[in-house]
Amino acid sequence: MTRKLLGWGLFGLVVVLVLIGPELASHSPTEPVARPYSPPGTGGVFGTDRLGRDVASRMLHGGRPLLLTSLVAATAGSVLGALAGIFTALAAPRHRWVEAVVLRPLDTLAAVPPILMLLLVLTALPGRAGLVLAVALAGLPLSARVARAAAEQVAGRAHVEAAVARGEGWGWLIGREVLPLVAGTLLADLGLRFVIAFYLVAAAGFLGLSTSSADWGLLVVEALPGAALQPWALIVPVLGIAAIAVSVNLTSDAVSRRARGLVA
C-alpha cells in the first residue's frame, strides 16, 4: 500500500508541476539573466547555463511539451497495438490469414531499432508530428503482442464464445466482451510505453532533433561541456527525467498487480 501511494503521489506531484511549469517560470527559456555558468542563487535557483539562461526556468518551460508529446505518442501506439492484438486473438483461430496480415508487418517494424526509427521518420517528416509518429511506431508492435497475449487468455471464455455464436460485430466483441477484462494489463503496458516514449522524445532533444527550445534532452546535451563548472545545469534535467520515469513505473506496477487479479 505504501509503495502504491508513493507511486501515485509522486506521479501526481510531478505531472502537476510539469503541466503548470511555464506559468511558474520567472524567465523566458531563451533569455540570458546572468553570467554564463553562474552557481545556484546567483542567476536563479539552479544557476545558469552556458549562455546565462536560468536553468530552473528552462526546466519549467521544457517539461510540458516533453510530457504531452510522449503521452500522445505512447497512447497512439498503445491504442493501435491493442486493437491489432485483440483482433488477432479473436480472429486468428478461425481465419489463419489474420496473423500473417496483421502481426507479421508489426514484427518487421519491431526489428527496426527505435533510435533509427526516430532518425528515419524525422528526416522524412520533421517537427512534432513526425516525432509523435516515430515514437508511436516504435511502441506499436510490442503493445500488439502484449494485447494479444492478454486477449488470448479470455478469448475462449463462455461469454465470448456465446457472443461470437450470436454473430456480434467486432466492435461489440472487442469493446464489450474482451476489453473490460484486459484493460488493466493494457493500462500497465501503456505506462511502460510512456516511459519508453519519454526516453525517445528526450533522446530526440539530445540528438538535436528537438521541437522545443527547452527540451530536457537538449538541456542535458548543452550542459555536458560545462558540467565541471556548473553541474546543476546537468543534474537538474537528468533528475527530472528520472523522477517521471520512476513515478510512472511505480504507478504502472500497481495497475499491473490489480490487472493480474482481474484476469485470474
Side-chain angles (χ1 to χ4, degrees):
M1 179 63 76
T2 302
R3 187 177 177 184
K4 180 179 176 180
L5 290 176
L6 176 65
W8 282 106
L10 182 60
F11 177 70
L13 178 65
V14 170
V15 168
V16 169
L17 185 60
V18 166
L19 291 180
I20 66 173
E23 281 69 38
L24 299 177
S26 54
H27 301 286
S28 161
T30 57
E31 172 192 5
V33 298
R35 291 189 305 171
Y37 298 127
S38 294
T42 303
V45 177
F46 298 115
T48 61
D49 65 3
R50 64 191 177 100
L51 297 179
R53 297 168 296 191
D54 180 23
V55 172
S57 294
R58 299 199 77 201
M59 278 292 294
L60 291 170
H61 278 285
R64 185 158 65 187
L66 178 60
L67 181 74
L68 294 180
T69 302
S70 306
L71 182 61
V72 171
T75 303
S78 294
V79 169
L80 293 175
L83 290 175
I86 296 174
F87 172 72
T88 304
L90 291 172
R94 299 170 183 81
H95 308 285
R96 291 182 177 275
W97 57 267
V98 169
E99 187 164 330
V101 170
V102 177
L103 286 189
R104 292 297 169 261
L106 295 182
D107 290 343
T108 304
L109 196 61
V112 181
I115 292 295
L116 179 58
M117 177 77 73
L118 205 61
L119 294 173
L120 290 174
V121 174
L122 285 176
T123 300
L125 183 62
R128 197 175 302 279
L131 187 57
V132 169
L133 177 62
V135 176
L137 288 176
L140 194 158
L142 296 179
S143 289
R145 283 290 175 184
V146 170
R148 184 194 176 176
E152 281 181 335
Q153 297 182 43
V154 301
R157 292 190 177 182
H159 64 93
V160 179
E161 295 288 350
V164 173
R166 290 198 306 271
E168 300 289 357
W170 289 110
W172 179 280
L173 290 173
I174 294 175
R176 299 295 296 271
E177 303 294 341
V178 177
L179 193 57
L181 294 174
V182 301
T185 300
L186 298 183
L187 283 175
D189 180 66
L190 174 61
L192 179 60
R193 301 300 154 214
F194 172 79
V195 172
I196 295 173
F198 195 79
Y199 287 150
L200 282 176
V201 175
F206 194 86
L207 294 172
L209 301 171
S210 172
T211 57
S212 165
S213 60
D215 186 285
W216 290 0
L218 182 64
L219 264 62
V220 170
V221 73
E222 288 183 348
L224 285 174
L229 295 172
Q230 219 294 59
W232 287 103
L234 176 62
I235 292 172
V236 171
V238 170
L239 288 180
I241 293 171
I244 287 186
V246 170
S247 64
V248 173
N249 276 330
L250 288 174
T251 307
S252 179
D253 285 347
V255 174
S256 180
R257 283 193 292 274
R258 184 178 175 83
R260 283 196 293 270
L262 279 177
V263 173

